[in-house]
Amino acid sequence: KTCKRDSMNLNKMYGLFLRHFYLIKSSLPRVLDLIYWPTIQIILWGFISKFFTIYSSYYNNTLGVILTCAILYDILFRSSISFNMLFLEEIWSRNIINLFVSPLRISEIIFALTSSALIRTLIGLVPAALIAIPLFGISILELGLPLILLLFSLYLFGITLGLLVTAGLVRFGPSFENVAWASLFFIAPLGCVYYPVDILPNWIQPIALGLPLAHIFEETRNILVNQTVDLKNIYYAIVLNLIYLFLAISIFYKSFSSAKKNGTLVNIGE
């Protein structure tokens, strides 16, 4: 009986995953939209970095460092926005109530949306990362094996932010939609994507180090500039990610329970 129950749960999660997968697969404009923005951003940052490298001796390795950080940051951005967009798709299509009254558990919905967000992220980022190789001679593969842990950590934090925004959508409705677009820009200055933590004022540095982003990008620069790997940064990033992910899931459950209790869940798609 336990195996049967687990199999049914997997089938339901797979069904929700397929719903969003087919939405992307059957729509060329959706695919182009996923590819267009990451590609443009990588090209733009690539030429800016190349300009600094050519015309300033101070920025000798700027092209490699900034462009690699730009690609990694876009992975975070796309994973978070993709998770939010999948939930917003349900709201815009007025399917959100059907989703919550279906026999799907909240944990199954989260897992299915997380898997679907990964597909959307890969569709957008793989072409952009590949274009950077012939155009600028930069590949994120230069980070070596630590790249796997860095990508995993970035994706975890992207899903965490997506869950927090989605919790706001469940609790406050579509009016919370603007936060979905602005959430990553709020946190970017503290993420130290393009500059070291030391640049920040002393009183802000502990706050920045309390985020996994600072450790991820500090380690990225460390690998590219010093050609060494500091596992401590990666360890801190993953531990912080797991803590924030647990908190985000708890907040999502609480928001859902509150919305159901207050009756606002019924009007979320209106």
Side-chain angles (χ1 to χ4, degrees):
K1 290 183 179 179
T2 303
C3 294
K4 185 176 180 181
R5 191 184 301 121
D6 291 340
S7 176
M8 288 179 63
N9 290 341
L10 288 173
N11 288 336
K12 288 185 286 185
M13 290 185 288
Y14 183 59
L16 182 56
F17 167 81
L18 283 181
R19 161 177 158 71
H20 291 286
F21 177 75
Y22 286 139
L23 277 176
I24 300 171
K25 182 182 176 183
S26 60
S27 176
L28 181 60
R30 289 176 191 267
V31 175
L32 292 177
D33 181 60
L34 291 174
I35 296 174
Y36 174 77
W37 293 111
T39 302
I40 291 299
Q41 177 163 312
I42 296 308
I43 292 174
L44 180 63
W45 275 110
F47 284 126
I48 292 174
S49 303
K50 190 172 183 178
F51 168 78
F52 285 150
T53 302
I54 294 173
Y55 292 99
S56 175
S57 58
Y58 181 78
Y59 296 99
N60 284 331
N61 198 31
T62 296
L63 180 58
V65 175
I66 290 188
L67 191 53
T68 300
C69 288
I71 294 173
L72 293 181
Y73 178 70
D74 218 44
I75 291 171
L76 167 73
F77 186 87
R78 294 297 149 191
S79 59
S80 179
I81 290 297
S82 293
F83 191 95
N84 296 334
M85 284 298 297
L86 291 169
F87 196 81
L88 286 169
E89 287 273 7
E90 302 290 354
I91 295 178
W92 294 333
S93 62
R94 298 178 184 272
N95 189 53
I96 193 69
I97 300 302
N98 298 328
L99 184 64
F100 283 127
V101 300
S102 69
L104 280 164
R105 302 172 185 170
I106 298 298
S107 57
E108 293 167 350
I109 293 174
I110 292 174
F111 185 85
L113 294 184
T114 299
S115 303
S116 303
L118 177 60
I119 300 300
R120 289 176 61 101
T121 303
L122 291 176
I123 291 174
L125 265 298
V126 169
L130 291 176
I131 286 175
I133 299 175
L135 274 182
F136 308 107
I138 299 299
S139 172
I140 60 173
L141 297 178
E142 294 175 5
L143 290 170
L145 288 177
L147 175 64
I148 298 174
L149 295 175
L150 293 173
L151 292 178
F152 174 70
S153 195
L154 282 167
Y155 186 69
L156 273 185
F157 195 59
I159 294 302
T160 298
L161 293 177
L163 274 168
L164 290 173
V165 173
T166 303
L169 288 169
V170 170
R171 179 63 181 86
F172 301 105
S175 60
F176 202 76
E177 180 181 331
N178 288 335
V179 179
W181 308 108
S183 58
L184 281 164
F185 295 102
F186 292 155
I187 207 169
L190 295 176
C192 301
V193 180
Y194 303 112
Y195 44 82
V197 176
D198 296 339
I199 294 296
L200 298 174
N202 291 333
W203 63 275
I204 295 182
Q205 290 181 21
I207 301 174
L209 292 173
L211 298 173
L213 283 186
H215 299 282
I216 292 171
F217 290 105
E218 282 288 300
E219 184 55 27
T220 300
R221 284 184 289 269
N222 176 59
I223 294 172
L224 293 175
V225 176
N226 301 322
Q227 302 295 313
T228 60
V229 177
D230 185 358
L231 293 176
K232 184 171 65 175
N233 280 326
I234 298 176
Y235 172 77
Y236 286 154
I238 292 177
V239 169
L240 287 170
N241 266 315
L242 293 176
I243 293 172
Y244 286 128
L245 181 62
F246 175 78
L247 290 175
I249 293 174
S250 301
I251 291 171
F252 184 87
Y253 270 93
K254 186 173 182 179
S255 296
F256 175 77
S257 177
S258 177
K260 187 168 63 173
K261 182 179 179 181
N262 296 331
T264 57
L265 196 61
V266 179
N267 300 321
I268 194 173
E270 299 299 327

